[in-house]
């Protein structure tokens, strides 16, 4: 748990996380560390660091800034619940944890890369061109980033 608190404080100091984001990250990271140790904490850190650095790339959206507690929980709650299943001897818990983390990472990378480098995004339901950042918009760059992130 101490490692998670230290990482959350460092992320807060670097302005990757807001105060609520740091609190949520300490809880998410603490549960995952206690449940699975370094083998589970390492992929979580890889997700967090890569996504935070991608969020610092130029041409960000107006929503850029430190991640909030809600954003941390939106990306980490399912992975945290899956990690917690280890305490109940659920054999598939590590696989469920990694699947949840891969889904969150794919979504985050698609958003961060697609918003910055996606050309002519289209709405997935109509295939009509829309502005970057519109809900349901996809671009080639975002789809490739999603595949790489997963």
């Amino acid at each position: 748990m101490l490692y998670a608190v230290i990482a959350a404080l460092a992320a807060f100091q670097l302005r990757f996380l807001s105060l609520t984001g740091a609190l949520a990250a300490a809880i998410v990271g603490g549960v995952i560390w206690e449940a699975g140790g370094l083998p589970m904490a390492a992929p979580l850190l890889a997700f967090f660091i890569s996504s935070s650095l991608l969020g610092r790339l130029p041409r960000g959206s107006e929503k850029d800034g430190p991640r909030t507690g809600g954003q941390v929980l939106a990306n980490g709650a399912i992975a945290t619940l899956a990690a917690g299943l280890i305490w109940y001897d659920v054999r598939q818990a590590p696989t469920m944890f990694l699947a949840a983390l891969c889904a969150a990472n794919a979504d985050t990378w698609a958003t961060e890369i697609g918003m910055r480098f996606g050309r002519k995004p289209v709405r997935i339901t109509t295939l009509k061109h829309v502005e970057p950042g519109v809900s349901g918009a996809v671009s080639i760059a975002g789809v490739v980033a999603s595949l790489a992130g997963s």
Side-chain angles (χ1 to χ4, degrees):
M1 183 68 142
L2 180 60
Y3 294 120
V5 171
I6 291 168
L9 287 173
F12 176 73
Q13 288 295 321
L14 291 169
R15 299 201 29 80
F16 287 144
L17 296 172
S18 67
L19 181 58
T20 61
L23 291 171
I27 293 166
V28 166
V31 169
I32 289 171
W33 179 268
E34 292 299 321
L38 187 58
M40 289 180 109
L44 178 67
L45 279 171
F47 161 63
F48 175 70
I49 292 168
S50 66
S51 297
S52 295
L53 293 176
L54 285 174
R56 294 272 173 104
L57 289 174
R59 275 190 56 215
S61 71
E62 63 278 354
K63 297 185 282 184
D64 281 349
R67 303 281 196 244
T68 65
Q71 289 170 313
V72 170
L73 293 176
N75 282 309
I78 300 301
T80 303
L81 290 172
L85 291 175
I86 287 175
W87 292 317
Y88 297 97
D89 293 324
V90 175
R91 287 188 347 204
Q92 297 84 2
T95 303
M96 293 165 59
F97 164 76
L98 285 175
L101 204 55
C102 286
N105 201 50
D107 178 61
T108 301
W109 282 26
T111 300
E112 296 295 349
I113 297 294
M115 288 285 296
R116 288 165 172 84
F117 303 107
R119 304 249 191 260
K120 297 185 179 182
V122 296
R123 187 178 300 268
I124 192 75
T125 55
T126 64
L127 300 180
K128 295 193 189 289
H129 288 284
V130 293
E131 292 297 314
V134 170
S135 182
V138 296
S139 67
I140 299 291
V143 169
V144 170
S146 176
L147 292 171
S150 67

